Amino acid sequence: MEKTKVVLLSGGFGTRLGEETMLRPKPMVEIGGMPILCHIMNIYDACGFNEFIIALGYKKEMIKQYFLNYMYLQNDFCIQMSQATVDIVRHRQPDWTVHLLDTGLNTMTGGRLHRLRNQLCGNTFMTTYGDGVGDIDVKRLLDYHKSHGKLATVTLVKPRARFGTVDLMGDQVVCFKEKADTGGWINGGFFVFEPGVLDYIGHDTDVLERDVLPRLAEEGQLMAYRHDGFWDCMDTMRDKQYLESLWASGEAPWKCWRED
């Protein structure tokens, strides 16, 4: 049976992370010593999805080098200098198949999928960005998608409020809420698509959120999967620091895999 592939949109510039993304692509920015891209891949792997297509763009060589050297970066090893051999001392490798494909430096999110159409045609596939994590059961998400028969499913989440809110009576503050729940649903970036979605994309300049999803919604082909649990996106340095603090506490809500 054909595996469900996972596309990771990892080619953007990530300018709001400032100095971090001057040095590296946003998906390679680390949380707890591991690129956020690998955190996302572990979320899928924990649910049985281990074939990934990484859509590359900005600083693509850094992501390629990381996976080429993954075995040595993640394990202890011994180098026999005179024999020019390397022996892995502690072998810890995920059972992943990783396709690293250049989708262009300035290509937009929809356009990156368009460039991958030859790898995606014929089968349902999942897609997400290279900067969002959550305790999302992606197997349940896929099952929900298959149950409704539409072309696309978007995961909706309730974001963490970044600022406190107040309730007023005239000019008097009657209630102060620190970082209250915003209450509204937003796009959480975990998608399931049928190959027919690719027919809605024609150019590198097509933006998934602006050009593709609205058309699918207008034609009744976009369904929502509501996720009430944890979700957060590493959009700014404040977000990175928040995710780092969760990881350091040992209580990162998105961590659903076991470390050997």
Side-chain angles (χ1 to χ4, degrees), residues 146-213:
K146 291 183 174 180
S147 74
H148 60 61
K150 303 293 185 180
L151 288 179
T153 300
V154 55
T155 299
L156 300 185
V157 298
K158 291 184 177 181
R160 170 180 58 93
R162 283 157 169 75
F163 304 99
T165 61
V166 296
D167 291 338
L168 296 173
M169 181 178 295
D171 292 329
Q172 180 181 344
V173 176
V174 294
C175 183
F176 183 89
K177 303 172 185 176
E178 178 62 18
K179 295 183 180 179
D181 188 340
T182 61
W185 295 98
I186 67 166
N187 170 17
F190 285 77
F191 304 98
V192 186
F193 292 141
E194 293 302 315
V197 167
L198 300 173
D199 295 333
Y200 289 71
I201 312 170
H203 306 283
D204 281 357
T205 55
D206 286 348
V207 178
L208 190 61
E209 305 80 7
R210 185 188 67 206
D211 302 309
V212 183
L213 298 180

Side-chain angles (χ1 to χ4, degrees), residues 230-245:
F230 174 85
W231 174 89
D232 215 291
C233 177
M234 190 182 65
D235 197 38
T236 66
M237 282 302 298
R238 176 182 290 190
D239 299 329
K240 179 186 184 303
Q241 291 161 3
Y242 174 68
L243 293 175
E244 283 275 17
S245 69

Side-chain angles (χ1 to χ4, degrees), residues 127-141:
T127 301
T128 193
Y129 308 114
D131 60 2
V133 291
D135 57 351
I136 298 169
D137 185 335
V138 290
K139 176 63 168 63
R140 184 175 294 179
L141 166 62

Side-chain angles (χ1 to χ4, degrees), residues 18-254:
E19 290 185 6
E20 284 279 2
T21 49
M22 289 178 64
L23 301 173
R24 71 199 77 196
K26 189 176 183 182
M28 294 303 295
V29 175
E30 294 184 351
I31 301 296
M34 179 169 64
I36 193 168
L37 181 63
C38 290
H39 286 266
I40 297 166
M41 294 168 79
N42 276 318
I43 291 170
Y44 281 96
D45 186 36
C47 292
F49 303 102
N50 61 3
E51 184 166 359
F52 302 96
I53 299 176
I54 303 181
L56 302 172
Y58 176 65
K59 294 189 179 295
K60 60 183 182 292
E61 66 282 353
M62 293 191 69
I63 300 179
K64 288 182 175 181
Q65 288 169 1
Y66 178 81
F67 283 100
L68 279 172
N69 295 306
Y70 188 93
M71 179 171 61
Y72 302 112
L73 292 170
Q74 299 298 322
N75 295 286
D76 298 334
F77 55 89
C78 175
I79 303 174
Q80 297 288 344
M81 303 291 283
S82 62
Q83 300 175 37
T85 61
V86 180
D87 298 318
I88 301 296
V89 176
R90 183 166 55 106
H91 197 273
R92 183 179 57 196
Q93 294 289 101
D95 183 19
W96 293 348
T97 299
V98 184
H99 307 265
L100 295 145
L101 304 178
D102 183 6
T103 53
L105 179 62
N106 296 303
T107 310
M108 305 306 288
T109 49
R112 295 191 190 282
L113 292 180
H114 181 66
R115 288 204 180 195
L116 296 173
R117 60 193 179 279
N118 291 337
Q119 286 77 28
L120 299 174
C121 61
N123 295 284
T124 304
F125 62 95
M126 294 188 281
T127 301
T128 193
Y129 308 114
D131 60 2
V133 291
D135 57 351
I136 298 169
D137 185 335
V138 290
K139 176 63 168 63
R140 184 175 294 179
L141 166 62
L142 179 62
D143 290 342
Y144 170 76
H145 171 80
K146 291 183 174 180
S147 74
H148 60 61
K150 303 293 185 180
L151 288 179
T153 300
V154 55
T155 299
L156 300 185
V157 298
K158 291 184 177 181
R160 170 180 58 93
R162 283 157 169 75
F163 304 99
T165 61
V166 296
D167 291 338
L168 296 173
M169 181 178 295
D171 292 329
Q172 180 181 344
V173 176
V174 294
C175 183
F176 183 89
K177 303 172 185 176
E178 178 62 18
K179 295 183 180 179
D181 188 340
T182 61
W185 295 98
I186 67 166
N187 170 17
F190 285 77
F191 304 98
V192 186
F193 292 141
E194 293 302 315
V197 167
L198 300 173
D199 295 333
Y200 289 71
I201 312 170
H203 306 283
D204 281 357
T205 55
D206 286 348
V207 178
L208 190 61
E209 305 80 7
R210 185 188 67 206
D211 302 309
V212 183
L213 298 180
R215 283 187 58 202
L216 288 165
E218 288 170 7
E219 297 183 17
Q221 289 294 334
L222 180 63
M223 296 293 287
Y225 176 82
R226 293 179 177 85
H227 174 65
D228 284 309
F230 174 85
W231 174 89
D232 215 291
C233 177
M234 190 182 65
D235 197 38
T236 66
M237 282 302 298
R238 176 182 290 190
D239 299 329
K240 179 186 184 303
Q241 291 161 3
Y242 174 68
L243 293 175
E244 283 275 17
S245 69
L246 291 177
W247 188 263
S249 73
E251 300 295 331
W254 69 89

